Amino acid sequence: TASLAAYMLQTQGYSVFLGGNIGTPLSEYVLSGRKADVVVVEASSFQLQTCSTFCPRVGVLLNITPNHLDYHKDMNEYIEAKFRLFRCQDEGDLAVLGDGLQKVAEHFRVRARRVYVRPERRFPEVSLMGRHNLFNIEAAWQACRFFGVSEENAARAVAAFKPLPHRLEKVADINGVSYVNDSKCTTVSSLKVALEAFDRPLRLLCGGHFKGGDVAALLPLVQRHVREVFLFCDSREIFENAWKDAVPMRWFPTLEPALRAAADAAESGDVVLMAPATSSFDLYPNYMARGDDFRRVVESLRTA
């Protein structure tokens, strides 16, 4: 959503800095002396938790689902950290919130003008897959309207915008099988989104450092979409305990043998999807390295 908003603003003709948790730190931008027209910052709950003066003209909060409970004391602390995004705003600012967050926004006394968004088919050409991306597009559009972005330029940006690496990124089609890298899927809720994005049978790769969430709640979706689950490295017992009676499952110590087994099992029309629902810190320094490893193995399958 942050990247798409930045692209809409650039399409309108603004100079934009995009950074924060997504890449270049905001502090680096400040120290550089650069003067962008608009600064687009992705802020994590870790960063927001200690913020006391941060005041964006537009704040965007898409959803609240269990995450980072290996770090935060409980969900209340996590939610309070997220809502620090809005604490310094006033009536002249804008809060873009996911539909369903009305009561929480009232509880935290968000003073900014509020816009609640849901998935909309507002723009005719969309290159991003999944219903959740219609939600992301609508949130980005509502944020950018505040800065005078026209609907025409927003539509141009949406049509030209390409999926970011490691976010439901199609890596290859090999013998009728699609290989999709969703290494950025680090939570149970993002796995739900990934499963709902496909109407083709899935060979699903999961595993890594578990951050919390109700894996068992995804059982109906797994039964509906997944032909087999290939687990790798940590959190084996969490997934097996939740899904073992519903879908065939195999475990491997690392990603490569799990991916090769999924490729061997896949039939034409299937999707081999890596959507780990965990952080990468059991095997990799970050989710990007995990996604790059997925790409490397898929490329070796292509050449073979």
Side-chain angles (χ1 to χ4, degrees):
T1 304
S3 296
L4 183 56
Y7 196 50
M8 286 182 182
L9 291 160
Q10 288 168 338
T11 304
Q12 184 71 24
Y14 289 115
S15 65
V16 179
F17 168 79
L18 171 65
N21 194 49
I22 197 172
T24 306
L26 178 59
S27 55
E28 188 171 318
Y29 164 77
V30 173
L31 292 169
S32 73
R34 179 184 164 192
K35 298 295 182 183
D37 296 321
V38 185
V39 173
V40 180
V41 177
E42 188 197 28
S44 73
S45 62
F46 299 173
Q47 294 163 334
L48 289 169
Q49 190 166 18
T50 55
C51 282
S52 58
T53 60
F54 182 53
C55 183
R57 297 299 313 282
V58 177
V60 181
L61 179 56
L62 300 178
N63 56 62
I64 295 176
T65 56
N67 194 4
H68 301 305
L69 297 182
D70 54 340
Y71 176 87
H72 291 291
K73 181 174 64 177
D74 52 31
M75 274 297 290
N76 288 334
E77 181 183 286
Y78 175 58
I79 294 168
E80 195 277 336
K82 298 273 268 191
F83 267 84
R84 278 177 170 256
L85 180 64
F86 309 107
R87 67 180 295 178
C88 294
Q89 289 186 313
D90 60 26
E91 294 80 1
D93 300 316
L94 177 66
V96 178
L97 297 149
D99 191 41
L101 294 180
Q102 290 91 336
K103 289 184 178 179
V104 194
E106 289 289 345
H107 173 77
F108 283 98
R109 299 175 182 172
V110 175
R111 297 188 301 276
R113 179 171 65 87
R114 301 177 211 163
V115 173
Y116 294 95
V117 297
R118 61 180 65 191
E120 302 281 358
R121 293 195 175 273
R122 182 181 299 276
F123 302 109
E125 294 182 55
V126 178
S127 60
L128 301 171
M129 68 173 71
R131 184 171 181 271
H132 67 289
N133 273 317
L134 298 178
F135 178 48
N136 294 336
I137 290 166
E138 184 66 15
W141 158 238
Q142 294 296 339
C144 290
R145 288 179 70 182
F146 184 92
F147 296 98
V149 174
S150 69
E151 192 162 344
E152 179 184 3
N153 279 327
R156 288 173 52 209
V158 169
F161 190 80
K162 301 301 180 189
L164 296 175
H166 316 298
R167 295 161 173 84
L168 288 179
E169 172 197 19
K170 183 186 282 189
V171 174
D173 286 301
I174 305 172
N175 298 327
V177 177
S178 295
Y179 291 82
V180 176
N181 164 27
D182 197 25
S183 186
K184 186 66 170 68
C185 169
T186 62
T187 66
V188 174
S189 56
S190 55
L191 174 57
K192 178 179 183 291
V193 167
L195 295 176
E196 291 174 338
F198 295 93
D199 56 9
R200 294 165 58 185
L202 301 175
R203 310 283 176 166
L204 177 65
L205 291 108
C206 288
H209 179 69
F210 192 66
K211 298 192 294 179
D214 187 0
V215 176
L218 297 185
L219 191 57
L221 267 179
V222 171
Q223 289 176 308
R224 191 178 314 136
H225 292 278
V226 179
R227 284 186 169 173
E228 188 171 2
V229 176
F230 300 82
L231 302 172
F232 60 95
C233 205
D234 287 358
S235 306
R236 173 183 182 178
E237 68 287 351
I238 292 170
F239 291 97
E240 285 185 341
N241 289 341
W243 300 343
K244 62 184 176 183
D245 296 326
V247 62
M249 306 180 77
R250 288 188 257 172
W251 178 84
F252 301 84
T254 59
L255 172 60
E256 181 163 353
L259 177 48
R260 291 188 178 278
D264 288 342
E267 303 171 2
S268 181
D270 287 355
V271 175
V272 173
L273 169 67
M274 181 178 72
T278 62
S279 74
S280 59
F281 302 136
D282 53 337
L283 289 174
Y284 303 97
N286 50 55
Y287 74 85
M288 294 87 78
R290 180 170 61 187
D292 289 342
D293 201 24
F294 179 88
R295 284 205 208 106
R296 176 189 64 79
V297 178
V298 171
E299 187 56 36
S300 71
L301 294 171
R302 191 209 304 266
T303 55

